[in-house]
Amino acid sequence: MENTITPLSGLSWPNVQYFSTTRAGGVSQGPYHSLNLGSHVGDDPESVQQNRQRLTQLCPAEPLWLEQVHGIVAVDADQTEESTPIADAAVTTQRNRPLVVLTADCLPVVLSDEAGSVLGVAHAGWRGLAQGVLQSTITLMRQKQPQLQRLRAWIGPAISQKNFEVGAEVRHTFLQVDPSLAMYFVATGHNDKHLADLPSIARHLLINTYGEKIEVALSGECTFEQNERYYSYRHSPVTGRLATVAWLTYCPSDKGSRGE
């Protein structure tokens, strides 16, 4: 089983394939064991390349890798000429155009419309989430697909509330965005620290912004708590990165062909 990639996904979506990787299925050694897909974390570059090749075998084409900077920029994967754009999200309306983000506690978020005609994938750390990376991703989705109606969102493996202690700055930042987000912070009782529920904050922001036009599902998987299964930066600062990958399996230009 260790030599096999064991992806985690949510409910089936029309015309969309999406999943997050676990540690299993790669060749990396030491703290990066085994399917580390991050090329910037100190792992052997050859091992990372082999791991990425194994991931690509599960996809219809080479994924669009991003240089993530904890920002809010979403790139149009159908227009960019860069092999590794500087962005924290990507959007496509093309069939078999895999998008990917890397995480190790932050939120990986997959977004699509109900018909599966437009797709977005975003990396949302607490900074990007507070600044609006999910909203900027959906804005680009709407620009590419003006007829977009109801949305779906899936929030993949990420750190859970009981393991995500933050300082006053983080809580204050979110409360400036929306004071009602205070419900997702639990005081620890010392040094003005709080436990933050990042997945629920993301769900709240999406529903508060888009109301009944969006359905949000959480994976419920904690990267910190299940460190033998996932990478967690909070658990071990020297560690690998998980990938969350998604692609569309059909688009209107296919002229009725829905080949997988």
Side-chain angles (χ1 to χ4, degrees), residues 40-72:
H40 62 293
V41 295
D43 193 7
D44 173 53
E46 185 175 334
S47 295
V48 177
Q49 185 59 33
Q50 287 188 49
N51 290 339
R52 289 191 173 192
Q53 288 173 353
R54 291 188 179 195
L55 177 65
T56 300
Q57 290 175 0
L58 300 181
C59 303
E62 176 71 26
L64 177 66
W65 301 91
L66 305 177
E67 182 179 339
Q68 300 168 193
V69 293
H70 289 272
I72 65 169

Side-chain angles (χ1 to χ4, degrees), residues 108-213:
V109 184
V110 182
L111 296 151
S112 177
D113 64 325
E114 282 191 332
S117 66
V118 61
L119 175 72
V121 175
H123 157 254
W126 73 263
R127 291 181 181 85
L129 187 61
Q131 292 171 4
V133 66
L134 300 184
Q135 293 91 328
S136 67
T137 305
I138 292 175
T139 295
L140 181 55
M141 291 169 66
R142 284 181 161 164
Q143 290 173 359
K144 289 179 66 65
Q145 180 55 276
Q147 305 304 315
L148 185 151
Q149 296 296 323
R150 285 181 54 82
L151 293 163
R152 286 188 170 95
W154 181 73
I155 299 172
I159 195 165
S160 63
Q161 181 172 24
K162 67 180 180 180
N163 297 299
F164 189 42
E165 185 179 74
V166 299
E169 173 198 1
V170 176
R171 183 174 182 272
H172 177 69
T173 298
F174 278 109
L175 266 56
Q176 284 188 309
V177 175
D178 181 349
S180 69
L181 292 175
M183 71 179 80
Y184 301 113
F185 292 84
V186 176
T188 63
H190 58 86
N191 298 327
D192 201 19
K193 299 287 187 180
H194 287 77
L195 299 175
D197 188 349
L198 212 57
S200 292
I201 290 172
R203 178 172 58 188
H204 177 106
L205 290 173
L206 286 170
I207 293 175
N208 191 56
T209 303
Y210 304 103
E212 295 181 355
K213 294 183 178 180

